[in-house]
PDB file of all heavy atoms in Angstrom:
ATOM      1  N   ARG N 123      12.531  -3.465  12.085  1.00 98.00           N
ATOM      2  CA  ARG N 123      11.841  -2.193  11.878  1.00 98.00           C
ATOM      3  C   ARG N 123      10.361  -2.307  12.269  1.00 98.00           C
ATOM      4  O   ARG N 123       9.791  -1.391  12.871  1.00 98.00           O
ATOM      5  CB  ARG N 123      11.988  -1.757  10.413  1.00 98.00           C
ATOM      6  CG  ARG N 123      11.379  -0.407  10.095  1.00 98.00           C
ATOM      7  CD  ARG N 123      12.006   0.733  10.888  1.00 98.00           C
ATOM      8  NE  ARG N 123      11.474   2.026  10.456  1.00 98.00           N
ATOM      9  CZ  ARG N 123      11.548   3.123  11.174  1.00 98.00           C
ATOM     10  NH1 ARG N 123      12.148   3.138  12.375  1.00 98.00           N
ATOM     11  NH2 ARG N 123      11.042   4.257  10.720  1.00 98.00           N
ATOM     12  N   ALA N 124       9.740  -3.438  11.947  1.00 98.00           N
ATOM     13  CA  ALA N 124       8.335  -3.629  12.332  1.00 98.00           C
ATOM     14  C   ALA N 124       8.198  -3.606  13.857  1.00 98.00           C
ATOM     15  O   ALA N 124       7.261  -3.008  14.396  1.00 98.00           O
ATOM     16  CB  ALA N 124       7.797  -4.939  11.751  1.00 98.00           C
ATOM     17  N   ARG N 125       9.131  -4.227  14.560  1.00 98.00           N
ATOM     18  CA  ARG N 125       9.067  -4.220  16.036  1.00 98.00           C
ATOM     19  C   ARG N 125       9.289  -2.822  16.602  1.00 98.00           C
ATOM     20  O   ARG N 125       8.707  -2.463  17.621  1.00 98.00           O
ATOM     21  CB  ARG N 125      10.083  -5.222  16.598  1.00 98.00           C
ATOM     22  CG  ARG N 125       9.656  -6.668  16.352  1.00 98.00           C
ATOM     23  CD  ARG N 125      10.734  -7.690  16.725  1.00 98.00           C
ATOM     24  NE  ARG N 125      10.368  -8.989  16.155  1.00 98.00           N
ATOM     25  CZ  ARG N 125      11.209  -9.793  15.495  1.00 98.00           C
ATOM     26  NH1 ARG N 125      12.500  -9.465  15.350  1.00 98.00           N
ATOM     27  NH2 ARG N 125      10.790 -10.941  14.997  1.00 98.00           N
ATOM     28  N   GLU N 126      10.124  -2.018  15.922  1.00 98.00           N
ATOM     29  CA  GLU N 126      10.315  -0.614  16.342  1.00 98.00           C
ATOM     30  C   GLU N 126       9.036   0.190  16.158  1.00 98.00           C
ATOM     31  O   GLU N 126       8.674   1.019  16.990  1.00 98.00           O
ATOM     32  CB  GLU N 126      11.376   0.057  15.455  1.00 98.00           C
ATOM     33  CG  GLU N 126      12.768   0.032  15.980  1.00 98.00           C
ATOM     34  CD  GLU N 126      13.734   0.708  14.982  1.00 98.00           C
ATOM     35  OE1 GLU N 126      13.324   1.470  14.075  1.00 98.00           O
ATOM     36  OE2 GLU N 126      14.917   0.424  15.125  1.00 98.00           O
ATOM     37  N   LEU N 127       8.379  -0.042  15.034  1.00 98.00           N
ATOM     38  CA  LEU N 127       7.177   0.746  14.707  1.00 98.00           C
ATOM     39  C   LEU N 127       5.942   0.271  15.457  1.00 98.00           C
ATOM     40  O   LEU N 127       4.990   1.035  15.628  1.00 98.00           O
ATOM     41  CB  LEU N 127       6.894   0.675  13.200  1.00 98.00           C
ATOM     42  CG  LEU N 127       7.784   1.505  12.284  1.00 98.00           C
ATOM     43  CD1 LEU N 127       7.324   1.333  10.843  1.00 98.00           C
ATOM     44  CD2 LEU N 127       7.722   2.984  12.655  1.00 98.00           C
ATOM     45  N   ARG N 128       5.945  -0.955  15.884  1.00 98.00           N
ATOM     46  CA  ARG N 128       4.735  -1.549  16.477  1.00 98.00           C
ATOM     47  C   ARG N 128       4.126  -0.706  17.603  1.00 98.00           C
ATOM     48  O   ARG N 128       2.905  -0.468  17.596  1.00 98.00           O
ATOM     49  CB  ARG N 128       5.065  -2.954  16.973  1.00 98.00           C
ATOM     50  CG  ARG N 128       3.861  -3.696  17.500  1.00 98.00           C
ATOM     51  CD  ARG N 128       4.280  -5.064  17.998  1.00 98.00           C
ATOM     52  NE  ARG N 128       3.145  -5.832  18.508  1.00 98.00           N
ATOM     53  CZ  ARG N 128       3.252  -7.031  19.058  1.00 98.00           C
ATOM     54  NH1 ARG N 128       4.450  -7.615  19.141  1.00 98.00           N
ATOM     55  NH2 ARG N 128       2.191  -7.657  19.507  1.00 98.00           N
ATOM     56  N   PRO N 129       4.919  -0.207  18.601  1.00 98.00           N
ATOM     57  CA  PRO N 129       4.292   0.588  19.667  1.00 98.00           C
ATOM     58  C   PRO N 129       3.656   1.878  19.156  1.00 98.00           C
ATOM     59  O   PRO N 129       2.688   2.379  19.755  1.00 98.00           O
ATOM     60  CB  PRO N 129       5.445   0.902  20.626  1.00 98.00           C
ATOM     61  CG  PRO N 129       6.637   0.174  20.160  1.00 98.00           C
ATOM     62  CD  PRO N 129       6.349  -0.430  18.815  1.00 98.00           C
ATOM     63  N   ILE N 130       4.188   2.402  18.038  1.00 98.00           N
ATOM     64  CA  ILE N 130       3.582   3.603  17.438  1.00 98.00           C
ATOM     65  C   ILE N 130       2.269   3.208  16.759  1.00 98.00           C
ATOM     66  O   ILE N 130       1.236   3.851  16.957  1.00 98.00           O
ATOM     67  CB  ILE N 130       4.534   4.202  16.371  1.00 98.00           C
ATOM     68  CG1 ILE N 130       5.927   4.456  16.961  1.00 98.00           C
ATOM     69  CG2 ILE N 130       3.900   5.413  15.708  1.00 98.00           C
ATOM     70  CD1 ILE N 130       6.145   5.733  17.668  1.00 98.00           C
ATOM     71  N   ILE N 131       2.315   2.160  15.953  1.00 98.00           N
ATOM     72  CA  ILE N 131       1.106   1.726  15.234  1.00 98.00           C
ATOM     73  C   ILE N 131       0.019   1.323  16.234  1.00 98.00           C
ATOM     74  O   ILE N 131      -1.171   1.532  15.993  1.00 98.00           O
ATOM     75  CB  ILE N 131       1.443   0.574  14.255  1.00 98.00           C
ATOM     76  CG1 ILE N 131       2.465   1.043  13.199  1.00 98.00           C
ATOM     77  CG2 ILE N 131       0.190   0.034  13.569  1.00 98.00           C
ATOM     78  CD1 ILE N 131       2.014   2.181  12.311  1.00 98.00           C
ATOM     79  N   ASP N 132       0.429   0.784  17.371  1.00 98.00           N
ATOM     80  CA  ASP N 132      -0.542   0.423  18.423  1.00 98.00           C
ATOM     81  C   ASP N 132      -1.353   1.642  18.901  1.00 98.00           C
ATOM     82  O   ASP N 132      -2.485   1.492  19.355  1.00 98.00           O
ATOM     83  CB  ASP N 132       0.176  -0.199  19.624  1.00 98.00           C
ATOM     84  CG  ASP N 132       0.502  -1.670  19.419  1.00 98.00           C
ATOM     85  OD1 ASP N 132      -0.208  -2.333  18.629  1.00 98.00           O
ATOM     86  OD2 ASP N 132       1.460  -2.163  20.048  1.00 98.00           O
ATOM     87  N   GLN N 133      -0.746   2.823  18.811  1.00 98.00           N
ATOM     88  CA  GLN N 133      -1.430   4.036  19.296  1.00 98.00           C
ATOM     89  C   GLN N 133      -2.314   4.677  18.234  1.00 98.00           C
ATOM     90  O   GLN N 133      -3.110   5.562  18.536  1.00 98.00           O
ATOM     91  CB  GLN N 133      -0.395   5.080  19.727  1.00 98.00           C
ATOM     92  CG  GLN N 133       0.461   4.674  20.912  1.00 98.00           C
ATOM     93  CD  GLN N 133       1.637   5.631  21.069  1.00 98.00           C
ATOM     94  OE1 GLN N 133       1.508   6.838  20.878  1.00 98.00           O
ATOM     95  NE2 GLN N 133       2.801   5.090  21.406  1.00 98.00           N
ATOM     96  N   VAL N 134      -2.098   4.278  16.976  1.00 98.00           N
ATOM     97  CA  VAL N 134      -2.823   4.920  15.870  1.00 98.00           C
ATOM     98  C   VAL N 134      -4.226   4.317  15.752  1.00 98.00           C
ATOM     99  O   VAL N 134      -4.389   3.100  15.726  1.00 98.00           O
ATOM    100  CB  VAL N 134      -2.025   4.745  14.551  1.00 98.00           C
ATOM    101  CG1 VAL N 134      -2.859   5.107  13.342  1.00 98.00           C
ATOM    102  CG2 VAL N 134      -0.741   5.575  14.603  1.00 98.00           C
ATOM    103  N   ASP N 135      -5.229   5.196  15.679  1.00 98.00           N
ATOM    104  CA  ASP N 135      -6.616   4.729  15.543  1.00 98.00           C
ATOM    105  C   ASP N 135      -6.986   4.479  14.083  1.00 98.00           C
ATOM    106  O   ASP N 135      -7.720   3.529  13.778  1.00 98.00           O
ATOM    107  CB  ASP N 135      -7.585   5.789  16.099  1.00 98.00           C
ATOM    108  CG  ASP N 135      -7.349   6.057  17.572  1.00 98.00           C
ATOM    109  OD1 ASP N 135      -7.229   5.071  18.335  1.00 98.00           O
ATOM    110  OD2 ASP N 135      -7.270   7.242  17.961  1.00 98.00           O
ATOM    111  N   ILE N 136      -6.534   5.375  13.219  1.00 98.00           N
ATOM    112  CA  ILE N 136      -6.921   5.321  11.801  1.00 98.00           C
ATOM    113  C   ILE N 136      -5.641   5.470  10.986  1.00 98.00           C
ATOM    114  O   ILE N 136      -4.861   6.405  11.221  1.00 98.00           O
ATOM    115  CB  ILE N 136      -7.880   6.485  11.423  1.00 98.00           C
ATOM    116  CG1 ILE N 136      -9.016   6.638  12.445  1.00 98.00           C
ATOM    117  CG2 ILE N 136      -8.413   6.313  10.001  1.00 98.00           C
ATOM    118  CD1 ILE N 136     -10.104   5.635  12.382  1.00 98.00           C
ATOM    119  N   LEU N 137      -5.453   4.571  10.015  1.00 98.00           N
ATOM    120  CA  LEU N 137      -4.198   4.564   9.261  1.00 98.00           C
ATOM    121  C   LEU N 137      -4.453   4.613   7.758  1.00 98.00           C
ATOM    122  O   LEU N 137      -5.334   3.917   7.251  1.00 98.00           O
ATOM    123  CB  LEU N 137      -3.410   3.285   9.583  1.00 98.00           C
ATOM    124  CG  LEU N 137      -2.063   3.129   8.865  1.00 98.00           C
ATOM    125  CD1 LEU N 137      -1.041   4.135   9.388  1.00 98.00           C
ATOM    126  CD2 LEU N 137      -1.532   1.704   9.037  1.00 98.00           C
ATOM    127  N   LEU N 138      -3.653   5.442   7.076  1.00 98.00           N
ATOM    128  CA  LEU N 138      -3.573   5.388   5.612  1.00 98.00           C
ATOM    129  C   LEU N 138      -2.144   4.995   5.264  1.00 98.00           C
ATOM    130  O   LEU N 138      -1.198   5.718   5.602  1.00 98.00           O
ATOM    131  CB  LEU N 138      -3.912   6.750   4.994  1.00 98.00           C
ATOM    132  CG  LEU N 138      -3.786   6.820   3.461  1.00 98.00           C
ATOM    133  CD1 LEU N 138      -4.833   5.944   2.775  1.00 98.00           C
ATOM    134  CD2 LEU N 138      -3.895   8.272   2.978  1.00 98.00           C
ATOM    135  N   ASP N 139      -1.996   3.867   4.605  1.00 98.00           N
ATOM    136  CA  ASP N 139      -0.675   3.339   4.240  1.00 98.00           C
ATOM    137  C   ASP N 139      -0.530   3.492   2.729  1.00 98.00           C
ATOM    138  O   ASP N 139      -1.279   2.874   1.975  1.00 98.00           O
ATOM    139  CB  ASP N 139      -0.605   1.868   4.686  1.00 98.00           C
ATOM    140  CG  ASP N 139       0.746   1.262   4.425  1.00 98.00           C
ATOM    141  OD1 ASP N 139       1.744   2.008   4.403  1.00 98.00           O
ATOM    142  OD2 ASP N 139       0.816   0.024   4.261  1.00 98.00           O
TER     143      ASP N 139
END
Side-chain angles (χ1 to χ4, degrees):
R123 183 61 175 161
R125 289 172 194 134
E126 266 179 18
L127 285 182
R128 185 181 181 183
I130 306 275
I131 299 299
D132 279 334
Q133 296 168 39
V134 167
D135 299 313
I136 313 285
L137 180 70
L138 177 67
D139 183 27

